[in-house]
């Protein structure tokens, strides 16, 4: 049975309810709230994209400690930024973050802009992020429309069009603009819409009974909130598997059985990913399509035998459109084998080794570098096993 909905055409009323709800029920006391500093706000907005608050809380303070101003961030090496970002995922955000900081220093003398239209011209800042930074830093009256807010508004209006299509998205932006508070309250309103989407109007189980805009929500009246936002195209997930070469070496050249005693001296072979694409600009273990490709790569370096390759349990890694099975193969190598595997590596002191180059790195150094989460987990396990020197 469906319920009659009041006409949802009272923007002022909609905004007032969201603001009042946010003040009483919304999220407060997060480290990026209560500041007008656009740098800190921007950093939180980028980190929060497709990432939960509880995860961002583990990174935000550390990041600000290391890069307290946009100038500190601009002057840092990309490697340092990626190392601190390691584990947050969606690494293009970190690369754009760095590029944006450099643009602020070069184009705005290190003063972070607060005007939405100016913010939008910077790397990695889209229309919604620009609006959020402008609203939180100066109270500018501009609409946000991130993933959560799209869901709230699409449900509230029972929006029948697929927002992945540009014309429909433009129409939803118009809705978002029409619903803005007529004056003042932009900070609480913007935060309120974000909080509603994250905590009440959730993707799977919206808690309509706790929602401040339930009275005129059309999707609620129709009894089918989950039908919105409408999606006419489903994303196809792909499955892929790769073999990881986990080559380890201890400098004393001891037989494999004793190599573990080398402890922190243990070195691991790493490869830098190309700057674009999955894990772009991060260090990873050398990746191969399958075991045969790994064998061929080793054979090409004269290492077909007697490498003692040990297959480790596979690791499942889920990316946005990809279910990735990673199959690590561990091998402890001798000094001559290590030399052969160094072939093609960048110069040891080069700040940005060529993409694809192989480089031996101490385990501790590797763990302080920018690593994708599953590679970090593997190396941390090796570091634990290696233990301290006797
Ligand atoms: S009433 Fe339910 S569906 Fe409508 S906006 Fe609120 S939580 Fe979402």
């Amino acid at each position: 049975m469906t319920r009659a909905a009041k006409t949802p055409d009272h923007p002022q009323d909609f905004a007032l309810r969201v603001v009042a709800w946010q003040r009483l029920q919304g999220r407060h006391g997060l480290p990026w709230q209560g500041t007008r500093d656009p740098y800190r706000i921007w950093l939180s907005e980028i980190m929060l994209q497709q990432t939960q608050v509880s995860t961002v809380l583990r990174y935000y303070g550390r990041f600000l400690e290391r890069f307290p101003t946009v100038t500190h961030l601009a002057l840092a090496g990309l490697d340092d930024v990626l190392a601190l970002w390691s584990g947050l995922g969606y690494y293009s955000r970190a690369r754009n973050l760095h590029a944006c900081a450099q643009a602020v220093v070069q184009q705005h003398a290190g003063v972070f802009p607060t005007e939405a239209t100016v913010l939008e011209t910077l790397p990695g800042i889209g229309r919604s992020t620009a609006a959020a930074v402008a609203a939180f830093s100066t109270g500018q009256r501009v609409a946000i429309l991130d993933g959560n807010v799209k869901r709230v508004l699409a449900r509230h209006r029972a929006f029948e069009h697929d927002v992945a299509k540009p014309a429909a998205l433009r129409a939803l932006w118009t809705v978002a603009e029409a619903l803005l508070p007529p004056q003042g309250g932009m900070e609480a309103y913007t935060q309120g819409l974000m909080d509603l989407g994250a905590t009440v109007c959730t993707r799977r189980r919206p808690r309509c009974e706790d929602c401040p805009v339930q009275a005129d929500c059309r999707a609620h009246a129709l009894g089918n909130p989950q039908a919105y936002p409408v999606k006419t195209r489903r994303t196809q997930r792909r499955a892929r598997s790769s073999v990881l070469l986990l080559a380890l070496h201890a400098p004393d050249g001891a037989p494999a059985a004793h190599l573990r005693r080398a402890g922190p001296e243990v070195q691991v072979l790493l490869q830098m990913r190309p700057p674009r694409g999955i894990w772009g600009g991060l260090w990873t273990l050398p990746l191969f399509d399958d075991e045969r490709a790994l064998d061929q790569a080793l054979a090409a370096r004269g290492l077909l035998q007697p490498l003692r390759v040990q297959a480790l349990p596979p690791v499942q890694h889920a990316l946005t459109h990809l279910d990735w099975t990673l199959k690590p193969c561990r091998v402890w190598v001798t000094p001559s084998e290590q030399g052969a595997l160094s072939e093609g590596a960048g110069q040891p002191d080069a700040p940005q080794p060529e993409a694809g180059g192989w480089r031996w790195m101490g385990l501790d150094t590797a763990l302080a570098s920018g690593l994708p989460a599953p590679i970090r987990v593997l190396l941390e396990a090796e570091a634990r096993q290696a233990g301290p020197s006797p």
Side-chain angles (χ1 to χ4, degrees):
M1 191 175 76
T2 61
R3 283 149 284 187
K6 293 178 196 165
T7 314
D9 292 330
H10 306 291
Q12 185 169 359
D13 182 42
F14 178 94
L16 285 177
R17 281 178 284 158
V18 172
V19 168
W21 174 85
Q22 202 287 324
R23 291 196 169 129
L24 283 174
Q25 314 279 339
R27 296 178 293 190
H28 297 273
L30 295 169
W32 45 87
Q33 292 176 320
T35 179
R36 291 281 186 184
D37 181 345
Y39 169 65
R40 288 171 173 248
I41 295 165
W42 161 74
L43 180 61
S44 70
E45 289 300 322
I46 301 293
M47 284 188 168
L48 286 163
Q49 287 168 5
Q50 290 157 303
T51 309
Q52 299 207 336
V53 166
S54 54
T55 307
V56 172
L57 285 172
R58 296 202 302 273
Y59 287 80
Y60 185 71
R62 239 178 6 185
F63 215 89
L64 276 177
E65 216 168 275
R66 182 75 185 279
F67 309 119
T69 67
V70 68
T71 307
H72 286 90
L73 180 55
L75 293 175
L78 179 58
D79 249 8
D80 287 342
V81 178
L82 287 168
L84 269 188
W85 198 272
S86 191
L88 257 181
Y90 299 100
Y91 293 94
S92 59
R93 292 182 299 172
R95 292 192 295 274
N96 278 331
L97 199 79
H98 190 238
C100 180
Q102 293 185 327
V104 169
V105 167
Q106 285 159 14
Q107 297 164 21
H108 301 278
V111 179
F112 214 99
T114 54
E115 171 69 35
T117 51
V118 178
L119 285 160
E120 249 190 277
T121 64
L122 294 167
I125 301 189
R127 180 173 171 184
S128 187
T129 302
V133 175
F136 288 133
S137 61
T138 64
Q140 196 182 338
R141 192 172 174 277
V142 273
I144 59 163
L145 195 58
D146 64 16
N148 281 344
V149 178
K150 275 181 200 163
R151 184 170 60 250
V152 174
L153 299 189
R155 287 176 177 174
H156 187 258
R157 290 296 171 111
F159 193 72
E160 293 294 347
H161 309 285
D162 182 350
V163 293
K165 300 198 168 151
L169 187 59
R170 276 197 301 277
L172 202 61
W173 271 109
T174 305
V175 171
E177 285 173 333
L179 291 172
L180 287 173
Q183 58 182 35
M186 274 308 299
E187 298 84 343
Y189 176 73
T190 305
Q191 186 67 55
L193 276 185
M194 291 176 171
D195 293 353
L196 255 188
T199 66
V200 175
C201 194
T202 52
R203 200 154 57 92
R204 289 188 210 286
R205 285 199 199 92
R207 295 189 290 114
C208 299
E209 65 281 10
D210 297 325
C211 179
V213 297
Q214 186 223 79
D216 51 8
C217 175
R218 287 179 178 165
H220 174 68
L222 292 167
N224 62 347
Q226 278 99 328
Y228 303 92
V230 170
K231 277 192 184 162
T232 51
R233 235 184 357 195
R234 294 273 155 205
T235 311
Q236 294 285 328
R237 288 190 71 76
R238 280 189 306 123
R240 175 182 167 189
S241 77
S242 301
V243 172
L244 298 170
L245 172 61
L246 174 56
L248 298 160
H249 171 263
D252 64 2
H258 304 294
L259 285 177
R260 292 187 180 290
R261 294 200 189 145
E265 303 287 309
V266 171
Q267 295 194 319
V268 60
L269 184 67
L270 292 179
Q271 177 178 34
M272 180 167 271
R273 297 279 300 166
R276 303 266 161 246
I278 296 173
W279 295 350
L282 297 180
W283 289 100
T284 179
L285 301 175
L287 273 168
F288 301 89
D289 287 342
D290 49 32
E291 285 82 357
R292 196 157 156 239
L294 169 62
D295 287 348
Q296 283 172 350
L298 295 178
R301 290 164 171 81
L303 294 175
L304 194 54
Q305 291 296 330
L307 278 183
R308 300 147 296 275
V309 178
Q310 179 192 5
L312 299 179
V315 176
Q316 296 301 330
H317 185 54
L319 294 164
T320 317
H321 305 308
L322 185 66
D323 291 315
W324 204 358
T325 304
L326 301 166
K327 301 179 189 165
C329 287
R330 178 167 57 203
V331 59
W332 286 89
V333 303
T334 64
S336 64
E337 289 166 338
Q338 185 191 26
L341 286 174
S342 297
E343 206 178 303
Q347 292 301 307
D349 298 326
Q352 286 292 328
E354 245 180 50
W358 290 7
R359 186 203 276 190
W360 287 96
M361 221 186 257
L363 264 181
D364 289 353
T365 309
L367 285 168
S369 305
L371 301 171
I375 304 299
R376 177 170 298 283
V377 169
L378 280 170
L379 295 192
E380 281 173 350
E382 291 303 321
R384 276 196 300 278
Q385 285 187 38
S389 299

